[in-house]
Amino acid sequence: MARPTCNTCHFVKTDCICAHVKTLSNRINIIVLQHKGEEKNAKNTVRLAELIYSNITVLVGETPKDFDALKKLPQNSSALLYPTEDAMPLEDNTTASHLTHLIVLDGTWKKANKLFFSLDILSQFKQVSFSQLPENRYHIRKANRMDSLSSLEAIAYALNLTEKLPMEPAYTALEAMMENQFKHMPAEVRARYKQND
């Protein structure tokens, strides 16, 4: 029998994090391209981003047709957050000031790369990235790159740079979700994660 879930955060009621969520109004429309393999992953942080940010759209899929909505974005004021060699730093105000839409790829590096190289439309948008990264606070999912942030952290940092929105609401929700995941782990597994904090 399925356990009852919260109607707002959609976690099971015993793991509800609504008390730890603060909603923020963002000007830039965040467009998340979520690999379909991530949609039901309990460790995915996009569900937190949807709770926190008022202006966010999540498109789920794997093929170009799944992301046809990208064709409607204004090319001159939309950008893809992706660390290519030609990506412009979001820390540069001239890069960030005119943005209306920011595209974020959600998935493991392997899945994100697959989306990047399979969606030709992404080449029509300028790429932006970070010249300096904040500390990665999401310790439950292990990335194979040192310059990795969870999707939530990347969105929070991007909006901090472009709109001066505080990052603390994202960190608070992330901590609450991690604590819920920790309590369901065997003690020896939980100890390994806590040791790396």
PDB file of all heavy atoms in Angstrom, residues 103-119:
ATOM      1  N   ILE A 103      18.018  28.342 -19.095  1.00  0.00           N
ATOM      2  CA  ILE A 103      17.791  26.915 -19.306  1.00  0.00           C
ATOM      3  C   ILE A 103      18.784  26.124 -18.462  1.00  0.00           C
ATOM      4  O   ILE A 103      19.989  26.378 -18.497  1.00  0.00           O
ATOM      5  CB  ILE A 103      17.958  26.551 -20.793  1.00  0.00           C
ATOM      6  CG1 ILE A 103      17.023  27.399 -21.667  1.00  0.00           C
ATOM      7  CG2 ILE A 103      17.696  25.061 -21.023  1.00  0.00           C
ATOM      8  CD1 ILE A 103      17.376  27.371 -23.144  1.00  0.00           C
ATOM      9  N   VAL A 104      18.271  25.156 -17.712  1.00  0.00           N
ATOM     10  CA  VAL A 104      19.104  24.329 -16.832  1.00  0.00           C
ATOM     11  C   VAL A 104      18.866  22.861 -17.174  1.00  0.00           C
ATOM     12  O   VAL A 104      17.714  22.423 -17.256  1.00  0.00           O
ATOM     13  CB  VAL A 104      18.763  24.581 -15.342  1.00  0.00           C
ATOM     14  CG1 VAL A 104      19.599  23.681 -14.436  1.00  0.00           C
ATOM     15  CG2 VAL A 104      18.966  26.049 -14.985  1.00  0.00           C
ATOM     16  N   LEU A 105      19.942  22.106 -17.381  1.00  0.00           N
ATOM     17  CA  LEU A 105      19.826  20.674 -17.651  1.00  0.00           C
ATOM     18  C   LEU A 105      19.854  19.915 -16.333  1.00  0.00           C
ATOM     19  O   LEU A 105      20.753  20.117 -15.518  1.00  0.00           O
ATOM     20  CB  LEU A 105      20.978  20.203 -18.545  1.00  0.00           C
ATOM     21  CG  LEU A 105      21.143  20.931 -19.884  1.00  0.00           C
ATOM     22  CD1 LEU A 105      22.280  20.318 -20.679  1.00  0.00           C
ATOM     23  CD2 LEU A 105      19.848  20.917 -20.690  1.00  0.00           C
ATOM     24  N   ASP A 106      18.885  19.029 -16.129  1.00  0.00           N
ATOM     25  CA  ASP A 106      18.801  18.291 -14.872  1.00  0.00           C
ATOM     26  C   ASP A 106      19.019  16.805 -15.100  1.00  0.00           C
ATOM     27  O   ASP A 106      18.266  16.152 -15.825  1.00  0.00           O
ATOM     28  CB  ASP A 106      17.432  18.498 -14.225  1.00  0.00           C
ATOM     29  CG  ASP A 106      17.298  17.704 -12.940  1.00  0.00           C
ATOM     30  OD1 ASP A 106      18.126  17.910 -12.026  1.00  0.00           O
ATOM     31  OD2 ASP A 106      16.381  16.862 -12.857  1.00  0.00           O
ATOM     32  N   GLY A 107      20.054  16.292 -14.458  1.00  0.00           N
ATOM     33  CA  GLY A 107      20.362  14.868 -14.544  1.00  0.00           C
ATOM     34  C   GLY A 107      21.790  14.655 -14.088  1.00  0.00           C
ATOM     35  O   GLY A 107      22.504  15.603 -13.748  1.00  0.00           O
ATOM     36  N   THR A 108      22.231  13.417 -14.059  1.00  0.00           N
ATOM     37  CA  THR A 108      23.645  13.164 -13.818  1.00  0.00           C
ATOM     38  C   THR A 108      24.440  13.810 -14.939  1.00  0.00           C
ATOM     39  O   THR A 108      23.876  14.214 -15.974  1.00  0.00           O
ATOM     40  CB  THR A 108      23.917  11.647 -13.813  1.00  0.00           C
ATOM     41  OG1 THR A 108      23.570  11.122 -15.114  1.00  0.00           O
ATOM     42  CG2 THR A 108      23.100  10.929 -12.746  1.00  0.00           C
ATOM     43  N   TRP A 109      25.761  13.937 -14.765  1.00  0.00           N
ATOM     44  CA  TRP A 109      26.564  14.529 -15.847  1.00  0.00           C
ATOM     45  C   TRP A 109      26.368  13.758 -17.142  1.00  0.00           C
ATOM     46  O   TRP A 109      26.288  14.340 -18.225  1.00  0.00           O
ATOM     47  CB  TRP A 109      28.036  14.572 -15.452  1.00  0.00           C
ATOM     48  CG  TRP A 109      28.402  15.829 -14.735  1.00  0.00           C
ATOM     49  CD1 TRP A 109      28.770  15.946 -13.423  1.00  0.00           C
ATOM     50  CD2 TRP A 109      28.428  17.160 -15.261  1.00  0.00           C
ATOM     51  NE1 TRP A 109      29.004  17.262 -13.111  1.00  0.00           N
ATOM     52  CE2 TRP A 109      28.805  18.030 -14.217  1.00  0.00           C
ATOM     53  CE3 TRP A 109      28.152  17.706 -16.513  1.00  0.00           C
ATOM     54  CZ2 TRP A 109      28.936  19.398 -14.391  1.00  0.00           C
ATOM     55  CZ3 TRP A 109      28.275  19.081 -16.692  1.00  0.00           C
ATOM     56  CH2 TRP A 109      28.655  19.908 -15.642  1.00  0.00           C
ATOM     57  N   LYS A 110      26.297  12.434 -17.056  1.00  0.00           N
ATOM     58  CA  LYS A 110      26.124  11.618 -18.254  1.00  0.00           C
ATOM     59  C   LYS A 110      24.798  11.940 -18.935  1.00  0.00           C
ATOM     60  O   LYS A 110      24.737  12.114 -20.165  1.00  0.00           O
ATOM     61  CB  LYS A 110      26.177  10.125 -17.882  1.00  0.00           C
ATOM     62  CG  LYS A 110      26.067   9.188 -19.077  1.00  0.00           C
ATOM     63  CD  LYS A 110      26.198   7.734 -18.642  1.00  0.00           C
ATOM     64  CE  LYS A 110      26.092   6.791 -19.844  1.00  0.00           C
ATOM     65  NZ  LYS A 110      26.223   5.367 -19.424  1.00  0.00           N
ATOM     66  N   LYS A 111      23.722  12.051 -18.142  1.00  0.00           N
ATOM     67  CA  LYS A 111      22.407  12.354 -18.712  1.00  0.00           C
ATOM     68  C   LYS A 111      22.341  13.785 -19.230  1.00  0.00           C
ATOM     69  O   LYS A 111      21.733  14.055 -20.271  1.00  0.00           O
ATOM     70  CB  LYS A 111      21.320  12.109 -17.658  1.00  0.00           C
ATOM     71  CG  LYS A 111      21.119  10.644 -17.310  1.00  0.00           C
ATOM     72  CD  LYS A 111      20.138  10.488 -16.156  1.00  0.00           C
ATOM     73  CE  LYS A 111      19.971   9.035 -15.764  1.00  0.00           C
ATOM     74  NZ  LYS A 111      19.101   8.880 -14.563  1.00  0.00           N
ATOM     75  N   ALA A 112      22.952  14.719 -18.494  1.00  0.00           N
ATOM     76  CA  ALA A 112      22.953  16.117 -18.939  1.00  0.00           C
ATOM     77  C   ALA A 112      23.726  16.263 -20.242  1.00  0.00           C
ATOM     78  O   ALA A 112      23.304  16.996 -21.160  1.00  0.00           O
ATOM     79  CB  ALA A 112      23.556  17.003 -17.852  1.00  0.00           C
ATOM     80  N   ASN A 113      24.864  15.590 -20.344  1.00  0.00           N
ATOM     81  CA  ASN A 113      25.644  15.629 -21.584  1.00  0.00           C
ATOM     82  C   ASN A 113      24.849  15.055 -22.747  1.00  0.00           C
ATOM     83  O   ASN A 113      24.910  15.564 -23.872  1.00  0.00           O
ATOM     84  CB  ASN A 113      26.946  14.845 -21.423  1.00  0.00           C
ATOM     85  CG  ASN A 113      28.029  15.669 -20.761  1.00  0.00           C
ATOM     86  OD1 ASN A 113      28.108  16.871 -20.948  1.00  0.00           O
ATOM     87  ND2 ASN A 113      28.869  15.021 -19.965  1.00  0.00           N
ATOM     88  N   LYS A 114      24.119  13.981 -22.468  1.00  0.00           N
ATOM     89  CA  LYS A 114      23.301  13.369 -23.514  1.00  0.00           C
ATOM     90  C   LYS A 114      22.256  14.351 -24.022  1.00  0.00           C
ATOM     91  O   LYS A 114      22.031  14.471 -25.238  1.00  0.00           O
ATOM     92  CB  LYS A 114      22.631  12.098 -22.982  1.00  0.00           C
ATOM     93  CG  LYS A 114      21.864  11.327 -24.044  1.00  0.00           C
ATOM     94  CD  LYS A 114      21.305  10.030 -23.484  1.00  0.00           C
ATOM     95  CE  LYS A 114      20.555   9.259 -24.572  1.00  0.00           C
ATOM     96  NZ  LYS A 114      19.979   7.999 -24.031  1.00  0.00           N
ATOM     97  N   LEU A 115      21.615  15.071 -23.101  1.00  0.00           N
ATOM     98  CA  LEU A 115      20.645  16.085 -23.522  1.00  0.00           C
ATOM     99  C   LEU A 115      21.320  17.183 -24.318  1.00  0.00           C
ATOM    100  O   LEU A 115      20.829  17.616 -25.365  1.00  0.00           O
ATOM    101  CB  LEU A 115      19.946  16.681 -22.289  1.00  0.00           C
ATOM    102  CG  LEU A 115      18.910  15.831 -21.575  1.00  0.00           C
ATOM    103  CD1 LEU A 115      18.398  16.560 -20.337  1.00  0.00           C
ATOM    104  CD2 LEU A 115      17.749  15.494 -22.503  1.00  0.00           C
ATOM    105  N   PHE A 116      22.469  17.648 -23.834  1.00  0.00           N
ATOM    106  CA  PHE A 116      23.173  18.750 -24.489  1.00  0.00           C
ATOM    107  C   PHE A 116      23.530  18.407 -25.932  1.00  0.00           C
ATOM    108  O   PHE A 116      23.352  19.222 -26.841  1.00  0.00           O
ATOM    109  CB  PHE A 116      24.439  19.087 -23.700  1.00  0.00           C
ATOM    110  CG  PHE A 116      25.264  20.191 -24.302  1.00  0.00           C
ATOM    111  CD1 PHE A 116      24.825  21.506 -24.253  1.00  0.00           C
ATOM    112  CD2 PHE A 116      26.477  19.920 -24.919  1.00  0.00           C
ATOM    113  CE1 PHE A 116      25.575  22.530 -24.809  1.00  0.00           C
ATOM    114  CE2 PHE A 116      27.233  20.936 -25.473  1.00  0.00           C
ATOM    115  CZ  PHE A 116      26.783  22.247 -25.412  1.00  0.00           C
ATOM    116  N   PHE A 117      24.015  17.206 -26.156  1.00  0.00           N
ATOM    117  CA  PHE A 117      24.469  16.837 -27.496  1.00  0.00           C
ATOM    118  C   PHE A 117      23.355  16.314 -28.396  1.00  0.00           C
ATOM    119  O   PHE A 117      23.525  16.247 -29.611  1.00  0.00           O
ATOM    120  CB  PHE A 117      25.589  15.793 -27.401  1.00  0.00           C
ATOM    121  CG  PHE A 117      26.888  16.372 -26.904  1.00  0.00           C
ATOM    122  CD1 PHE A 117      27.357  16.055 -25.632  1.00  0.00           C
ATOM    123  CD2 PHE A 117      27.625  17.251 -27.677  1.00  0.00           C
ATOM    124  CE1 PHE A 117      28.543  16.595 -25.160  1.00  0.00           C
ATOM    125  CE2 PHE A 117      28.812  17.795 -27.225  1.00  0.00           C
ATOM    126  CZ  PHE A 117      29.278  17.470 -25.953  1.00  0.00           C
ATOM    127  N   SER A 118      22.218  15.954 -27.818  1.00  0.00           N
ATOM    128  CA  SER A 118      21.123  15.435 -28.646  1.00  0.00           C
ATOM    129  C   SER A 118      20.087  16.498 -29.002  1.00  0.00           C
ATOM    130  O   SER A 118      19.275  16.287 -29.909  1.00  0.00           O
ATOM    131  CB  SER A 118      20.434  14.263 -27.937  1.00  0.00           C
ATOM    132  OG  SER A 118      19.800  14.686 -26.743  1.00  0.00           O
ATOM    133  N   LEU A 119      20.115  17.629 -28.322  1.00  0.00           N
ATOM    134  CA  LEU A 119      19.145  18.696 -28.592  1.00  0.00           C
ATOM    135  C   LEU A 119      19.827  19.805 -29.385  1.00  0.00           C
ATOM    136  O   LEU A 119      20.465  20.706 -28.831  1.00  0.00           O
ATOM    137  CB  LEU A 119      18.576  19.249 -27.283  1.00  0.00           C
ATOM    138  CG  LEU A 119      17.837  18.240 -26.391  1.00  0.00           C
ATOM    139  CD1 LEU A 119      17.388  18.900 -25.100  1.00  0.00           C
ATOM    140  CD2 LEU A 119      16.650  17.626 -27.132  1.00  0.00           C
TER     141      LEU A 119
END
